[in-house]
Amino acid sequence: MPAFVPYLLHTLFPPTVLRPTEIGADVLIVATGVIIVTVLTRQKKWGWLWREWLTTVDHKRIAVMYLIAAIAMLFRGGVDALMMRTNLALPSVHFISAEEYNEVFTTHGTIMIFFMAMPLIFALFNAVIPLMIGARDVAFPRLNAVSFWLFAFGALLFNISFVVGGSPNAGWTAYPPLTELAFNPGPGENYYFLALFISGIGTTITGINFLVTILRMRAPGMTLMRMPLFAWTTLCTSALILFAFPPLTVALGTSLLDRLFHASFYTLGHGGMPMMYVNLFWLFGHPEVYIVVLPAFGIFSEVVPTFSRKPLFGYTAMVVSVVAIMVLSYGTWVHHFFTMGAGPSVNVFFGLSTMLIAIPTGVKIFNWIFTMWGGRIRLTVPMLYQLAFIPTFVVGGATGVLLATVPVDYQLHNTYFLVAHFHNTLIGGTVFGLLSGLYYWWPKMFGYKLDERQGKWAFWLFFLGFWVTFGPQYLLGLEGMTRRLWTYPLGLGWHALNLISTIGAYGMGAGFVVLVYNVVWSMQHGERDLTGDPWDGRTLEWSLPSPAPEYNFARIPVVTERDAWWAMKARGETTAVRVRPDEISALELPRNSAMPFFLGLGFFVLGFGLTFRWWWIAGLGLAGILGAMLWAGFDYEDRKHVHAEEIRRIEAALGRLEA
């Protein structure tokens, strides 16, 4: 046996990845891979997969790939959560070891924030925004594909740490000195910093892309104050991304320099400043809370008017409140570390700024209630998630204001009260909102509706499971249970509330299973959307067939007022979506490209090489990145022509061509 083989095996498969959970994951990954390869080979679908999906630049197909990734990451992050709750269900349970608990705790938070919530948000951005504003595509289609593949390969790099080399274990915030090489020499933290660095580049590109798309590609007549609220929240989210992710990128990059090249940015013994990392992280981290919550606000602002059959109450106030949240979110980051000794003046300022941001948030709650008031409400699944959101987010917001009171935060900051508050806002806000949007726009994405009965089962399991999980955690925090505990002794009296919390977590898991079953069942048996407007919607995406053709609009619509599609229907102008043959002209659309896939692959190889300090592999990855960029620079055939006759044929098949 060559001498390097034992070293290689020990490096890639140390004892930390040979535990029962990791071996079980290995078996599941291999079995799933074999099934996928077998099906694709037998069905002769490899060419189809490459041509239609892996090289696509169509925003609608990129949305589907983001969605698949988000559901997979929700499963992974959910399993992590169940492992933690199982270990805490009763005193002195050792379902997983303390070392494994730290790893699971770290990967759960990282995956749910960066690799589940963000791609699900981007799935809805890609699926809806160009259709909603009357555009044929996003501003930069190829960059849109680059964004996806950087995210996808970043997520893959992070997730292989579970079975190759070892997972990160310093918490999802990765504070120094827990990440210093002297105290954490394994590859886990390298995986963390590199995966987030790579996916963060993709996220920043997405922010730029949708910012430009909304500002420059709206249909004629769609002024900013005629835009749907979801377009406004997407615009503000994109601006937040543009200014919030650079501090994170700096924090990740300098931490990598500390670990890979023995720099001392955050090494206290060598003159570094760990608190600078904390400031940089939360300069990103608090705007990130609104990066994932603002899209949910936008979704509810579309769902409520549709299912109340009323215009949105106080549109201008809603727009102002969204912009106010965007601005104020940059002035609250220090409330994440009141207990670290910033001083009374600083703490008072950031306590007051945190309370202030609750005002524009409250405006939206009242506007949704007033929109529903007197309306003809239909209790569909999207509307149920909205109704569940209001009391849930009010509790989360109220406890947030409580924690903004600095003396209270000193007592509760490191307890399960904070864990409950954080999940109250992130699940009660982001996840409820994204699930509402998923059910709402699913017919537009796929051409069929998800089953309502199964959707309501999933909703009640998830909603009740949520409160059974996190309601007791508020009480545990008040009783002094600190967060990040691996286990606890019997005499503290925490066991009953922890057991209830664990039962609730499994209830949420059951809701996820029903959701996935609903997706699979509805593919075969779901009600087909033959009209393009199954909900009697208000905005332009519902004027298109489901799913929309590649070019979206054969004729770009002209907007004269807010809720353009609803206004057309009210005037009896639904035939406006039909086009005459002489109105159709040839189009140019972006051509599929393999460059984004290979660029993402190059970043993955670079990241893997740097994780283990194998410089020759990192060099191969860097060469691949440069090669892909040169390829893109000299690829002048990036557009394709769609002839007018082809568009007429498609429109005729859709029943939208006038005789």
Side-chain angles (χ1 to χ4, degrees), residues 87-154:
N87 211 67
L88 293 169
L90 294 169
S92 303
V93 172
H94 294 171
F95 174 71
I96 54 177
S97 66
E99 180 182 26
E100 193 171 4
Y101 187 92
N102 285 339
E103 295 173 0
V104 169
F105 163 78
T106 300
T107 56
H108 166 72
T110 307
I111 284 172
M112 288 302 202
I113 293 292
F114 295 102
F115 300 125
M116 186 282 291
M118 295 301 292
L120 192 47
I121 289 167
F122 293 160
L124 296 180
F125 283 6
N126 275 280
V128 176
I129 289 299
L131 310 182
M132 183 176 272
I133 65 172
R136 287 203 170 99
D137 210 322
V138 295
F140 309 113
R142 189 174 291 190
L143 272 180
N144 198 27
V146 168
S147 300
F148 171 76
W149 286 113
L150 288 176
F151 153 76
F153 280 109

Side-chain angles (χ1 to χ4, degrees), residues 581-605:
D582 61 333
E583 292 180 311
I584 295 176
S585 57
L587 300 175
E588 272 196 350
L589 294 176
R591 187 185 298 276
N592 284 3
S593 173
M595 184 277 293
F597 178 85
F598 285 113
L599 182 65
L601 180 62
F603 270 99
F604 174 82
V605 174

Side-chain angles (χ1 to χ4, degrees), residues 70-84:
I71 292 175
M73 291 300 98
L74 181 57
F75 171 77
R76 166 72 202 277
V79 170
D80 286 345
L82 292 179
M83 291 171 67
M84 289 189 289

Side-chain angles (χ1 to χ4, degrees), residues 39-51:
V39 170
L40 290 173
T41 303
R42 286 185 175 178
Q43 299 293 326
K44 298 181 180 179
K45 292 291 188 181
W46 286 106
W48 166 82
L49 180 66
W50 177 256
R51 290 189 306 272

Side-chain angles (χ1 to χ4, degrees), residues 372-393:
M372 290 184 282
W373 189 268
R376 288 176 285 170
I377 297 174
R378 289 177 286 164
L379 292 179
T380 60
V381 174
M383 194 64 174
L384 285 175
Y385 277 106
Q386 201 281 333
L387 294 173
F389 159 85
I390 291 177
T392 303
F393 200 78

Side-chain angles (χ1 to χ4, degrees), residues 58 74 162 288 368 452 462 470 487 490 551 578 616 638:
D58 184 351
L74 181 57
F162 190 63
E288 169 68 8
W368 292 321
E452 280 285 301
F462 198 82
F470 296 105
T487 188
L490 177 62
Y551 50 81
R578 298 170 65 87
W616 66 275
D638 61 343

Side-chain angles (χ1 to χ4, degrees), residues 494-514:
W494 298 338
H495 55 281
L497 291 171
N498 270 300
L499 180 60
I500 293 170
S501 182
T502 300
I503 292 170
Y506 276 92
M508 294 176 70
F512 172 78
V513 171
V514 175

Side-chain angles (χ1 to χ4, degrees), residues 278-538:
V278 178
N279 273 282
L280 286 170
F281 184 89
W282 288 114
L283 267 172
F284 146 81
H286 197 80
E288 169 68 8
V289 172
Y290 292 98
I291 287 171
V292 296
V293 167
L294 279 181
F297 293 166
I299 290 166
F300 291 140
S301 298
E302 304 303 326
V303 167
V304 172
T306 297
F307 296 112
S308 301
R309 297 183 64 81
K310 284 181 59 184
L312 182 67
F313 180 89
Y315 174 91
T316 303
M318 292 286 272
V319 171
V320 171
S321 67
V322 168
V323 175
I325 287 173
M326 178 186 71
V327 174
L328 292 172
S329 67
Y330 287 104
T332 61
W333 82 91
V334 174
H335 75 221
H336 289 275
F337 45 96
F338 278 154
T339 59
M340 290 188 178
S345 299
V346 172
N347 285 354
V348 167
F349 173 85
F350 284 95
L352 292 174
S353 65
T354 303
M355 296 177 187
L356 184 64
I357 207 170
I359 297 173
T361 305
V363 167
K364 288 186 290 300
I365 299 289
F366 284 108
N367 280 20
W368 292 321
I369 293 172
F370 292 146
T371 302
M372 290 184 282
W373 189 268
R376 288 176 285 170
I377 297 174
R378 289 177 286 164
L379 292 179
T380 60
V381 174
M383 194 64 174
L384 285 175
Y385 277 106
Q386 201 281 333
L387 294 173
F389 159 85
I390 291 177
T392 303
F393 200 78
V394 165
V395 171
T399 54
V401 172
L402 181 64
L403 289 168
T405 308
V406 181
V408 175
D409 186 77
Y410 266 75
Q411 296 297 317
L412 297 175
H413 182 81
N414 204 38
T415 71
Y416 257 75
F417 191 94
L418 182 65
V419 174
H421 156 72
F422 182 79
H423 287 84
N424 215 149
T425 53
L426 266 293
I427 296 178
T430 301
V431 178
F432 282 12
L434 295 178
L435 289 175
S436 177
L438 188 63
Y439 278 95
Y440 181 59
W441 282 303
W442 189 276
K444 187 55 57 184
M445 295 176 69
F446 297 101
Y448 62 90
K449 295 171 70 173
L450 292 175
D451 183 73
E452 280 285 301
R453 183 170 176 272
Q454 295 175 23
K456 289 177 180 177
W457 271 102
F459 163 77
W460 285 112
L461 284 168
F462 198 82
F463 174 62
L464 296 176
F466 166 82
W467 277 108
V468 174
T469 301
F470 296 105
Q473 292 184 14
Y474 281 114
L475 301 177
L476 285 167
L478 293 173
E479 291 183 5
M481 182 173 175
T482 55
R483 53 188 175 144
R484 306 188 184 98
L485 277 182
W486 164 58
T487 188
Y488 55 92
L490 177 62
L492 297 176
W494 298 338
H495 55 281
L497 291 171
N498 270 300
L499 180 60
I500 293 170
S501 182
T502 300
I503 292 170
Y506 276 92
M508 294 176 70
F512 172 78
V513 171
V514 175
L515 169 62
V516 173
Y517 176 79
N518 191 359
V519 170
V520 175
W521 185 90
S522 297
M523 289 174 65
Q524 296 294 323
H525 309 289
E527 176 188 341
R528 264 45 195 174
D529 176 17
L530 303 178
T531 66
D533 189 13
W535 306 119
D536 194 13
R538 309 181 69 87

